[in-house]
Amino acid sequence: MAQIRFNALQTALQRSTIKVEETERRSELFAKHVFNDAAMRQYLTSDAYQTIQAAIEKGDKIDRQTAGHIAAGMKEWAISKGATHYTHWFQPLTGSTAEKHDAFFETQADGTVIEKLGASQLVQQEPDASSFPHGGIRNTFEARGYTAWDPTSPAFVYGTTLCVPTVFVSYTGEALDYKTPLLRALQAVDAAATSVARYFDKNVSKVNATLGWEQEYFLIDAALAASRPDIMLAGRTLLGHASAKGQQLDDHYFGSIPSRALNFMRELEHECMLLGVPVKTRHNEVAPNQFELAPIFEEANLAVDHNSLLMDVMDKVAKRHHFKVLFHEKPFAGINGSGKHNNWSLQTNTGVNLLSPGSTPMKNLQFLTFFINTIKAVNTHEALLRASIASAGNDHRLGANEAPPAIISVFIGSQLTAVLDELEKVTSGKLSPQEKTELKLNVVGKIPEILLDNTDRNRTSPFAFTGNKFEFRAVGSSANCANSMTVLNAIVAKQLQDFKLEVDALIDTKGMKKDDAIFNVLREYIKDAKRIRFEGDGYGDAWEKEAKKRKLSNAKNTPEALKAKISDSTVSLFESLGILSKTEVEARYEIEMEEYALRIQIEARVLGDIARNHVVPTAIRYQNVLLENISGLKVVYGKTINKYTEEPLRLLEQISGYIREINQEVAAMIEARKQANVLNASEKAMAYCKTVLPHIQSIRKNCDKLELLVDDQLWPLTKYRELLFTN
């Protein structure tokens, strides 16, 4: 096994940089392989084009005859781009994308062959629903499910395949994917935000939620990754002692990008340009061999699709450059993990960002309305928001090495805190002329100036306001953005609905003017949501104690966090907005609990195998080397041997102790798994968290101790210093 490690190192060190040619401007490349507006104008009839635009902008349905015309045009366009097959591209609850390729050609009765994509193939297909996670919604013998075309996300050609973004539902209509509830949540926030935005501008007829994700990841040489069974099977290192040099010197962050990694990024960006993914930023992250990529923000549904597509493309491009890309939230202990910061805002069809202050008090009142309502929504549903980013991988990251803590809080900065403090003093009822003047001139009117100087950032805040958007920093790097975006848009939609009801009630029953009513409601929201605002350091016991006083939830592991997903308030929220039924909510809870248990189970089995079949035999082999050394010393020194064998004997004893601990812990871990495996999904997940995970941690601790004692020439597993500093 040690030979595999050294062969992998030799291979990695001999790698040459793969050249990437860029002959076209990015503006010329962008969306070349996307069936976008320009392509539709060229390949569709005028009626078909108008119909699909109405579907995208207004949600109008597309009849089968028109769908046939669209399918024919889409097929011709795809073939012109080199496509030979088509697929419904969807996002089941596995965390990955799914696709089944069918060729365009069909045989005719006379034996001839034609290339065909009809309305039925474009609009709907029937994959096996029982083979994907379904939480008990479908029996194995009731396997039928449907993928249905989502015209709001444009089709694209990747390789030689036309990919049609679709939703995935069961035979009886329940959502079995991430996209379906996201689309419903986006419709809900559109309706609610539009209704509120019309207080300020009657021309607003639509509001889009926007998303700009930031994708963090690690790049590891493919040979080195292949030498580690834990990386290949679990996506992270399950053991490994810290390198003497890690990220202490902060010399990797924003440093010069290594040439191999840079060429990987260049090819990745080329592929992204063709696919219409508007990537803009690339840089070294804090940890060695950690990087980040970020795009320009887009409409949230399209942004989610683009992030899922990006992760697929990254895997494929990485292989061409002999890399393994790691999306796990904590692939290496002791250094920064990886997140996927979700930058979220709301934008009107009139081009206004509702979370961006304006040049007039009225525009700033609009900003404050959406700003404060968002904070109020987070305050009301903080436990659900925490549940939306819960996963086995993210449990390792939250609260460690600059990642946000598991406690959800909102950071707005000292300047905006002062603004809310002033608004909190607004008197109940109608505002006096003096109070209105004070607000317009000295509070609301100065918000743009305040934000120009409000450059402080809190890296430990899970939900921070960053100028014209909220940044949900706690999302894990391997997560599908749809999970957190569905929850965020849902809770904001519900909050805006409640806000409008309260404002309208004050106008209708109290005879208040609109501005007075808005200020009165916002004042109460500021008071109610004060507990969720936190400007300090999110690490340590002090914030935990303070959060407990504020009665904020503090779910430190996924099984505890996910309970919020099946609470009465969550079910009521989703059902009232038409996002998920109680059946769908419960099914998703069961799927996520089962996934958590399975991931810990895989890690436990992998670590048990490595510990017993690689680490322990290597340690015994080194003990034999020490015994030979002691025997040789006896021959040389005879009766005076004791003073020369003191250290080898102590080393033998230490190694024996660690071997004993490892074997005992592996046996106990196996027994804990057996007991957990007979429980239901919820109990099983909790058992794996409470009884199996501690054994994994203990086994790792003892293996890492052995790594420091055993001869480096014998150690079988590629070490941290090699994984993190070979590039």
Side-chain angles (χ1 to χ4, degrees), residues 378-390 406 408 483 487 491 531 552-574 580 582 585-586 588-590 592-593 682 686:
V378 174
N379 178 65
T380 304
H381 300 282
E382 44 90 15
L384 178 58
L385 205 59
R386 163 69 179 95
S388 75
I389 48 93
I408 297 296
N483 214 359
V487 169
I491 64 177
R531 68 165 191 152
L552 294 172
S553 62
N554 184 13
K556 294 186 177 181
N557 59 65
T558 291
E560 289 178 5
L562 289 178
K563 290 176 184 177
K565 283 202 168 183
I566 54 168
S567 68
D568 291 342
S569 61
T570 297
V571 173
S572 175
L573 168 75
F574 284 140
L580 291 169
K582 184 177 181 181
V585 169
E586 291 174 344
R588 283 162 189 269
Y589 170 76
E590 184 170 327
E592 290 187 67
M593 291 293 260
S682 178
M686 189 57 75

Side-chain angles (χ1 to χ4, degrees), residues 470-635:
F470 280 99
E471 183 180 12
F472 193 10
R473 295 178 54 84
V475 182
S477 56
S478 68
N480 187 309
C481 296
N483 214 359
S484 55
M485 286 296 101
T486 297
V487 169
L488 179 55
N489 284 289
I491 64 177
V492 171
K494 182 65 171 69
Q495 179 54 49
L496 290 171
Q497 286 181 354
D498 294 345
F499 171 77
K500 189 166 192 307
L501 289 173
E502 291 186 55
V503 171
D504 287 350
L506 290 178
I507 294 171
D508 296 338
T509 63
K510 301 284 187 180
M512 283 190 189
K513 290 184 178 180
K514 180 183 66 179
D515 288 3
D516 289 347
I518 289 172
F519 274 122
N520 272 265
V521 175
L522 291 181
R523 180 197 64 219
E524 295 306 311
Y525 285 178
I526 292 168
K527 293 177 182 177
D528 292 344
K530 211 164 186 177
R531 68 165 191 152
I532 202 73
R533 285 161 38 204
F534 177 63
E535 306 299 307
D537 188 347
Y539 295 134
D541 295 335
W543 170 228
E544 287 203 17
K545 290 177 182 176
E546 175 63 23
K548 189 175 182 180
K549 287 181 186 176
R550 299 186 186 191
K551 297 183 179 178
L552 294 172
S553 62
N554 184 13
K556 294 186 177 181
N557 59 65
T558 291
E560 289 178 5
L562 289 178
K563 290 176 184 177
K565 283 202 168 183
I566 54 168
S567 68
D568 291 342
S569 61
T570 297
V571 173
S572 175
L573 168 75
F574 284 140
E575 287 193 325
S576 68
L577 295 172
I579 293 172
L580 291 169
S581 67
K582 184 177 181 181
T583 299
E584 290 171 315
V585 169
E586 291 174 344
R588 283 162 189 269
Y589 170 76
E590 184 170 327
I591 289 167
E592 290 187 67
M593 291 293 260
E594 181 67 20
E595 182 191 357
Y596 175 86
L598 289 173
R599 289 198 179 277
I600 303 300
Q601 182 186 74
I602 290 168
E603 290 186 356
R605 294 174 68 181
V606 171
L607 182 57
D609 170 58
I610 293 174
R612 280 189 164 173
N613 294 327
H614 301 297
V615 173
V616 168
T618 300
I620 292 172
R621 194 173 301 120
Y622 185 53
Q623 280 185 316
N624 290 335
V625 171
L626 292 173
L627 287 170
E628 288 180 20
N629 174 256
I630 292 168
S631 297
L633 289 172
K634 272 188 178 180
V635 172

Side-chain angles (χ1 to χ4, degrees), residues 325-336:
V325 60
L326 302 183
F327 293 116
H328 194 285
E329 286 74 16
K330 197 74 172 178
F332 302 99
I335 59 173
N336 275 21

Side-chain angles (χ1 to χ4, degrees), residues 691-715:
T691 66
V692 176
L693 202 52
H695 292 300
I696 291 177
Q697 293 162 346
S698 179
I699 293 166
R700 174 179 192 140
K701 180 181 176 182
N702 286 289
C703 288
D704 290 354
K705 293 289 187 181
L706 282 176
E707 182 181 329
L708 290 179
L709 298 179
V710 172
D711 183 355
D712 183 68
Q713 293 298 310
L714 297 178
W715 193 253

Side-chain angles (χ1 to χ4, degrees), residues 128-307:
D128 182 351
S130 69
S131 297
F132 292 100
H134 52 76
I137 288 177
R138 307 296 295 144
N139 292 313
T140 302
F141 60 87
E142 299 172 315
R144 182 174 292 176
Y146 298 110
T147 51
W149 175 35
D150 170 21
T152 65
S153 185
F156 56 91
V157 170
Y158 187 55
T160 58
T161 305
L162 168 67
C163 300
V164 180
T166 58
V167 299
F168 179 41
V169 297
S170 74
Y171 178 68
T172 47
E174 292 91 355
L176 296 175
D177 66 343
Y178 288 108
K179 181 186 275 282
T180 302
L182 174 65
L183 290 173
R184 294 169 181 168
L186 294 174
Q187 288 177 346
V189 81
D190 172 16
T194 298
S195 182
V196 172
R198 286 175 65 82
Y199 280 142
F200 309 98
D201 183 356
K202 295 298 182 184
N203 294 316
V204 175
S205 58
K206 184 175 180 59
V207 173
N208 281 323
T210 62
L211 169 63
W213 39 262
E214 302 169 26
Q215 181 68 60
E216 295 177 339
Y217 60 97
F218 282 83
L219 278 182
I220 305 300
D221 185 88
L224 299 183
S227 72
R228 294 282 307 222
D230 47 359
I231 290 179
M232 300 306 293
L233 298 177
R236 74 179 183 104
T237 56
L238 297 172
L239 69 167
H241 198 278
S243 170
K245 180 182 183 294
Q247 62 187 49
Q248 310 98 307
L249 299 177
D250 296 324
D251 54 344
H252 190 257
Y253 192 47
F254 280 22
S256 176
I257 301 172
S259 57
R260 278 185 65 200
L262 182 59
N263 273 19
F264 157 79
M265 292 175 183
R266 290 174 65 195
E267 184 174 350
L268 173 64
E269 289 169 1
H270 178 89
E271 296 286 346
C272 286
M273 288 297 105
L274 291 173
L275 295 167
V277 183
V279 294
K280 185 174 178 67
T281 302
R282 65 191 185 199
H283 64 82
N284 289 2
E285 255 301 328
V286 174
N289 275 350
Q290 186 187 33
F291 306 94
E292 181 179 298
L293 173 149
I296 299 169
F297 72 90
E298 301 175 282
E299 184 275 324
N301 177 45
L302 182 58
V304 168
D305 280 0
H306 278 166
N307 184 253

Side-chain angles (χ1 to χ4, degrees), residues 404-424:
I407 305 165
I408 297 296
S409 64
V410 177
F411 171 81
I412 63 173
S414 58
Q415 313 279 12
L416 282 172
T417 295
V419 171
L420 297 196
D421 289 344
E422 287 296 319
L423 290 176
E424 191 179 339

